[in-house]
Amino acid sequence: MARVLLLIPSRTYRTHDFMAAASRLGIEVVVGSEHRPALASLMEGRHLRLDFQDIARSTARIVDLSKTQPLASVVAVDDGGTVLAASAAAALGIPHNSVDAVEAARDKARMRQRFLAAGLPTPRFTTIDIDADSVPIAPTLRYPCVVKPLDLSGSQGVIRADSATVFPSVFRRVAAIIAGCSPNGGRRSLLVEDFIAGEEVAVEALLRRGELEVLAIFDKPDPLHGPFFEETIYVTPSRLPDATQTLVAQTTARASQALGLTDGPIHAELRLNRDGPWVLEVAARSIGGLCSRTLRFGSGISLEELILRHATGLPVPEHDRERRAAGVMMLPIPDAGVLREVAGQVEARRVAGIDGLVITIPPGEPLIPLPEGDRYLGFMFARADSPAGVEAALRRAHAELHIVADA
């Protein structure tokens, strides 16, 4: 039986899907997390408490574990564990991305530098210390621009500034978000880059020895022009022309190579305009949240199964994506408050094409919209005979939902 160490941050939606995939494949799982899980006493030594920020010490703990419980792979389920997974895999001699490549994928400034060096279309960018005086800096920038943290995900802290007049207030807001996410230090700079206009797509892919296999291209039909960049609907297969999809795949492969990524899942975000594809970012992990539930391959194989098969060297069967169109809506949080209930769920589930609805914030929990917030209200899934049918079902079902909250 293959044994995998899953690095699971305390705030992730993905634990169940990875654990279910491991169970289906007969893979033994050891959970590595920052906190002791509620069922740790029942896991018979298959839990390892780790500090994802202390790479050296946590790597040593993983190496010690492997002496008594040999590991076939170390898999990070979200961004927070990717550097530790690379470090541990290197120490164990397990195929994986290099630490340098994963660190570059986690740092948007280093990513931009590598894209620029590789000749990829790259917006003009600069980094600024969050404690800097932004007033004299504002006139030196080109507008519109986007201000963003170096290492947060899910559009948290990403804000567009349209003029030198508004830039200082945008800067202070992003700086406060960064400081709040790193109370004990950590990153003290932010990225400012030119705003790239155009429609946006996401690419889900798997790297094997440096060769990129595109698993899905998602259209994002809702425009993402700012000032905030809250993602909502993803639909696959893409409605882009075949030639454009080929160019997107080729550009994603070039971007992965520029970062030095060679092995495992990647999730990329690109913008398309008259100049072609612009790579916004490439992450050394699979799609976030519960969005992977849109993807089924072969005879119902999940994305997590593909990732674990690849990681452990198990045979990977034919896995073309299912023919039906599929999509997910990441349910936005329009206003701050304390959630009482999400009304209309029964009606939303009755909409033709809706394949699932999961509310991930329980009643009594605070609702924090982007850009300060770091999670969605939930996820809604649809399947239909066409991408247009999927999008229409998601919009109709979303119209049935009503958030009831206390201010």
Side-chain angles (χ1 to χ4, degrees):
M1 178 185 292
R3 182 182 294 109
V4 170
L5 174 64
L6 285 181
L7 301 182
I8 301 178
S10 55
R11 292 190 69 175
T12 182
Y13 300 113
R14 308 202 61 196
T15 303
H16 175 270
D17 291 352
F18 268 100
M19 296 294 282
S23 178
R24 286 191 294 269
L25 294 171
I27 293 172
E28 181 180 320
V29 172
V30 179
V31 172
S33 61
E34 303 120 315
H35 304 290
R36 179 180 173 85
L39 300 179
S41 60
L42 303 178
M43 297 180 68
E44 299 178 357
R46 291 182 289 111
H47 172 258
L48 190 63
R49 188 164 180 174
L50 300 168
D51 181 347
F52 290 1
Q53 305 305 313
D54 191 338
I55 303 299
R57 181 173 295 180
S58 293
T59 296
R61 294 204 69 195
I62 294 170
V63 170
D64 286 343
L65 171 76
S66 71
K67 293 173 182 176
T68 56
Q69 300 184 58
L71 298 170
S73 183
V74 182
V75 176
V77 306
D78 273 331
D79 276 314
T82 53
V83 176
L84 176 56
S87 174
L92 295 171
I94 298 171
H96 202 277
N97 293 308
S98 71
V99 173
D100 175 74
V102 175
E103 287 179 337
R106 288 281 289 140
D107 184 323
K108 292 178 175 63
R110 289 178 63 180
M111 188 183 300
R112 287 277 171 267
Q113 291 163 356
R114 295 201 180 184
F115 291 167
L116 184 63
L120 287 160
T122 302
R124 189 172 67 169
F125 65 94
T126 187
T127 57
I128 305 173
D129 190 280
I130 64 172
D131 295 321
D133 182 355
S134 58
V135 174
I137 296 171
T140 69
L141 302 173
R142 188 160 58 188
Y143 296 94
C145 67
V146 178
V147 186
K148 60 177 67 173
L150 294 177
D151 61 350
L152 298 182
S153 58
S155 300
Q156 185 184 17
V158 182
I159 307 178
R160 170 173 159 164
D162 288 337
S163 69
T165 303
V166 302
F167 176 79
S169 63
V170 169
F171 179 93
R172 288 191 295 270
R173 189 170 180 180
V174 177
I177 292 169
I178 294 171
C181 292
S182 304
N184 299 318
R187 303 219 188 251
R188 302 296 297 175
S189 297
L190 51 73
L191 183 74
V192 180
E193 63 184 18
D194 291 348
F195 171 74
I196 304 301
E199 59 185 312
E200 193 165 311
V201 298
V203 176
E204 199 66 20
L206 196 60
L207 281 164
R208 294 188 181 91
R209 300 182 183 89
E211 294 295 320
L212 187 81
E213 177 192 3
V214 173
L215 301 174
I217 297 176
F218 290 94
D219 291 338
K220 303 181 184 183
D222 285 338
L224 292 165
H225 299 323
F228 313 131
F229 296 87
E230 186 169 49
E231 297 184 303
T232 50
I233 295 177
Y234 275 36
V235 179
T236 191
S238 173
R239 286 169 273 188
L240 293 171
D242 289 346
T244 303
Q245 293 190 48
T246 297
L247 192 56
V248 165
Q250 292 172 342
T251 304
T252 303
R254 287 180 61 200
S256 301
Q257 185 178 38
L259 292 172
L261 298 172
T262 59
D263 191 87
I266 67 148
H267 178 76
E269 309 277 348
L270 298 91
R271 284 268 169 129
L272 307 173
N273 57 31
R274 69 178 70 181
D275 297 320
W278 296 68
V279 184
L280 298 182
E281 60 182 77
V282 175
R285 44 87 179 164
S286 54
I287 194 168
L290 296 179
C291 297
S292 68
R293 295 184 184 180
T294 59
L295 299 177
R296 296 174 185 165
F297 304 92
S299 55
I301 299 171
S302 70
L303 177 62
E304 289 78 14
E305 285 184 61
L306 282 184
I307 292 169
L308 292 177
R309 282 181 177 274
H310 167 71
T312 58
L314 290 174
V316 179
E318 290 296 321
H319 54 274
D320 288 343
R321 200 195 68 79
E322 67 174 359
R323 293 189 177 184
R324 294 195 83 200
V328 59
M329 184 174 198
M330 292 161 273
L331 301 174
I333 297 174
D335 300 297
V338 176
L339 181 65
R340 288 176 55 193
E341 67 169 319
V342 180
Q345 294 185 53
V346 172
E347 293 78 5
R349 289 188 173 95
R350 287 175 178 163
V351 172
I354 294 301
D355 192 44
L357 170 61
V358 180
I359 303 300
T360 51
I361 297 180
E365 289 288 315
L367 298 173
I368 306 174
L370 283 173
E372 281 77 16
D374 65 349
R375 56 179 175 165
Y376 290 89
L377 177 67
F379 300 84
M380 185 158 56
F381 307 92
R383 281 181 161 74
D385 293 332
S386 69
V390 167
E391 181 183 343
L394 289 169
R395 294 195 190 282
R396 284 197 300 270
H398 184 238
E400 298 287 350
L401 298 177
H402 303 283
I403 299 172
V404 181
D406 297 321

